[in-house]
Amino acid sequence: MADMNRDRPLSPFMIGPYYRPQITSISSIMVRITGIASFGTAFLVVWWLLAAAFSEPAFNWINWLMTSFIGDIIMFLASWAIWYHMLGRLRHVIWDFGYCLEVPISEKLGWGMFIGATVLALFTAIVV
């Protein structure tokens, strides 16, 4: 028994020869990352609003950033993150009800989250 335990990986986070990332684990990690990214985006929007209330030079700087090409990219990625995070939460609600727990269906939900967030972010960018 001791020899068998010696050859086993110590952690699933040992990516490489011991662990192959799966779409379900990647999508779970991405839900956490998009939650943090959404918080950072909310910070930028609040900074934008506070600068408008504080002074014109402060507002001009942050307004330049938010309305520039860089700001457009940031806001597009932020909308993607919000959509992805929302779809991830929806997936967990479905799982909480006991549906779609089988591995093949869970993998399809993971891909659906990436594809769905991309389509919804593009739709948001076009409409807004």
Side-chain angles (χ1 to χ4, degrees):
M1 187 72 167
D3 291 332
M4 192 168 66
N5 287 337
R6 182 180 48 154
D7 295 331
R8 293 177 60 202
L10 301 175
S11 171
F13 297 104
M14 296 175 65
I15 297 174
Y18 302 112
Y19 181 75
R20 181 181 60 86
Q22 302 154 356
I23 189 64
T24 52
S25 61
I26 292 169
S27 63
S28 179
I29 292 166
M30 284 299 295
V31 167
R32 290 164 175 82
I33 291 171
T34 55
I36 294 168
S38 297
F39 180 74
T41 305
F43 175 76
L44 274 177
V45 172
V46 168
W47 182 10
W48 196 11
L49 294 172
L50 287 175
F54 182 66
S55 72
E56 188 174 347
F59 176 72
N60 287 338
W61 188 87
I62 189 70
N63 189 53
W64 169 83
L65 176 67
M66 296 299 281
T67 57
S68 69
F69 181 70
I70 295 169
D72 289 343
I73 291 173
I74 290 170
M75 295 312 271
F76 176 77
L77 293 175
S79 68
W80 186 89
I82 290 168
W83 283 116
Y84 187 85
H85 195 77
M86 187 270 307
L87 292 173
R89 298 295 96 207
L90 181 61
R91 178 181 67 166
H92 276 276
V93 168
I94 292 169
W95 285 348
D96 288 343
F97 283 118
Y99 299 110
C100 303
L101 295 173
E102 297 82 18
V103 173
I105 296 173
S106 293
E107 289 175 349
K108 288 176 185 170
L109 284 176
W111 282 112
M113 288 167 52
F114 279 101
I115 294 166
T118 303
V119 169
L120 289 168
L122 287 171
F123 179 75
T124 302
I126 292 168
V127 171
V128 175

